[in-house]
Amino acid sequence: MAAYSGYTDQELIVLLKQRDHAAFTAIYDRYASIIFYQVNQMLRDTEISKDLVQELFMVIWSKAAHIKAEAKLGGYLYIAAQNTVFKYIQRSKLQDSYLKSLAEFSTELSNSTIELLDEKELHLLIDHYIKELPPKMREVFELSRNQEMSYQEIAAQLAISEQTVKNQVSSALKILRGKMAPHAPGALIIMALLRRF
C-alpha cells in the first residue's frame, strides 16, 4: 500500500478504473479528510457530513469506469461532493434559506469544465465583486463566509434580526451569481463562494 501513496492522481485513476482496491484506498486516504472538511463547511453537521463522504466514495468506486483518466482528481471529487450535498439538501428539504439557495443553482460539471477552472482567478473576481456589495450586506456576508459565523451569531454581533442576516446573505449570493454568471458556471461560483482561504 505504501507504494501507492507515491502514485500521481492520474496513475491512481487508471488503477481505480481497473477495480484496484489499493488504488481506491490510496485515493480515499489522500482526499477523504479534505472532502469531509468541504462538505462540513456547507452543512455544519459532522455526522451527516461523514455519512455523505462515505456515500460519495461508494459512488466513486461503483462508477469508476466513467471517470476520465485525464481528469483532475481533486476537482472531480470536489464537484462530486458539492453535488452530493445539493442532492442531500433537496432530498431532506432543509429549511435553511442559504443552503436552499445554493441547491437551486447546483449544476453538473463535465471534466472538461473542471480542467479549464482557474480557481485563483475566480477567487480574485469574486473578491472584487464582494467589495462592491453594499457595506452592511458585505459585512454580513463576510462574517458568514470568512468567519464561519452562524446566522444567530451574526445577528447578535450586529444587533440585527436573524431574518435580516438570512436576507442579506441570500441577496449577496444572488448579486454575486448575477455578476459572475458570464465568467463561470453556477457550481463553480458556489464552490468559490464557499471556499475559505
Side-chain angles (χ1 to χ4, degrees):
M1 179 61 215
Y4 280 78
S5 64
Y7 283 19
T8 66
D9 284 355
Q10 277 65 40
E11 290 170 327
L12 289 174
I13 290 172
V14 169
L15 292 169
L16 176 66
K17 289 165 76 66
Q18 296 169 3
R19 312 299 288 167
D20 187 311
H21 288 274
F24 175 78
T25 302
I27 290 169
Y28 183 88
D29 290 344
R30 189 174 293 180
Y31 285 103
S33 61
I34 298 167
I35 297 300
F36 167 77
Y37 174 78
Q38 292 162 341
V39 168
N40 199 43
Q41 288 290 62
M42 294 179 74
L43 295 177
R44 312 242 173 115
D45 186 311
T46 302
E47 292 308 311
I48 291 172
S49 296
K50 285 179 184 175
D51 290 345
L52 290 182
V53 170
Q54 293 300 315
E55 179 184 318
L56 167 66
F57 277 94
M58 286 189 293
V59 170
I60 295 297
W61 173 254
S62 66
K63 297 188 175 180
H66 301 293
I67 302 173
K68 291 183 180 177
E70 69 277 8
K72 288 187 178 178
L73 189 55
Y76 180 87
L77 290 171
Y78 192 94
I79 298 303
Q82 295 253 99
N83 288 328
T84 299
V85 170
F86 294 140
K87 286 173 187 171
Y88 169 76
I89 292 168
Q90 291 165 336
R91 197 167 61 226
S92 61
K93 296 183 170 57
L94 293 180
Q95 293 304 306
D96 188 303
S97 60
Y98 178 63
L99 291 177
K100 283 174 72 176
S101 175
L102 292 178
E104 288 168 10
F105 287 86
S106 68
T107 57
E108 298 284 340
L109 295 181
S110 66
N111 288 330
S112 59
T113 304
I114 295 168
E115 294 288 332
L116 296 172
L117 172 61
D118 184 343
E119 193 173 352
K120 185 175 180 181
E121 186 177 315
L122 188 59
H123 284 300
L124 289 173
L125 199 55
I126 287 174
D127 285 341
H128 169 74
Y129 288 131
I130 287 172
K131 288 175 184 164
E132 292 183 348
L133 292 171
K136 183 58 82 174
M137 183 183 293
R138 183 177 70 241
E139 182 180 16
V140 169
F141 184 76
E142 287 182 336
L143 287 173
S144 173
R145 175 178 176 256
N146 298 333
Q147 305 291 323
E148 301 181 31
M149 294 173 68
S150 69
Y151 289 162
Q152 188 175 14
E153 291 168 334
I154 296 169
Q157 179 170 317
L158 300 180
I160 57 178
S161 74
E162 195 171 335
Q163 187 59 49
T164 300
V165 173
K166 289 180 181 180
N167 292 343
Q168 293 280 25
V169 171
S170 180
S171 295
L173 283 169
K174 285 178 185 172
I175 291 169
L176 293 171
R177 279 194 303 263
K179 288 179 179 286
M180 290 297 300
H183 305 286
L188 291 181
I189 296 167
I190 292 167
M191 177 178 78
L193 289 174
L194 290 173
R195 180 69 60 85
R196 271 66 175 187
F197 309 110

